[in-house]
Amino acid sequence: MAFDPPIAARGGRHVFFDRRELDRILRLYGRMVAAGEWRDYAIGGGAEAAVFSVFRRASEAPVYRIEKRPALARRQGQWAVMGEGGMVLRRGHELDQVLRFFDKGRFKVVE
């Protein structure tokens, strides 16, 4: 039996959302689910970034990804909203500023 200690125990740094950040993201998620826009999510943390992915359906690729990359904090800002094709839709230093991308009135239903 091999013993493989977790990344944190090996001295590696693991990036994840803190409680305040996760609360803010989950409140946005709840609002968008209530509006019928989003249906599922996934959360992941790694050595370089923490990612909150949003899905319209569980079987699809993520529609949006909210990323936290601390290495970019002094340059472009550690927060980013990424679109389906990996395009950066919004980037900034503050989470609330970046999440304004999803504010009401920004999306219109086209029939």
Side-chain angles (χ1 to χ4, degrees):
M1 180 165 91
F3 176 69
D4 188 22
I7 293 171
R10 283 186 243 151
R13 212 173 139 225
H14 198 73
V15 178
F16 204 71
F17 303 107
D18 66 24
R19 177 175 267 191
R20 183 189 60 80
E21 296 162 350
L22 194 56
D23 179 57
R24 178 66 180 98
I25 293 169
L26 288 173
R27 277 190 283 134
L28 169 67
Y29 175 76
R31 191 177 82 218
M32 297 302 271
V33 167
E37 295 287 329
W38 297 348
R39 302 210 180 208
D40 201 6
Y41 71 92
I43 300 175
E48 295 180 11
V51 180
F52 186 92
S53 300
V54 177
F55 301 86
R56 282 199 185 113
R57 290 177 198 81
S59 62
E60 294 182 349
V63 179
Y64 297 106
R65 288 188 336 252
I66 300 168
E67 294 187 356
K68 176 184 179 181
R69 292 187 178 270
L72 299 176
R74 290 190 172 194
R75 294 181 215 130
Q76 304 163 348
Q78 69 177 345
W79 295 101
V81 174
M82 311 289 278
E84 282 183 272
M87 183 174 24
V88 177
L89 302 175
R90 186 115 187 223
R91 184 177 293 281
H93 295 281
E94 298 293 326
L95 176 61
D96 289 332
Q97 168 197 6
V98 172
L99 293 182
R100 281 193 209 121
F101 176 80
F102 300 107
D103 282 348
K104 290 181 183 177
R106 188 150 181 108
F107 299 106
K108 291 185 181 181
V109 176
V110 179
E111 294 182 23

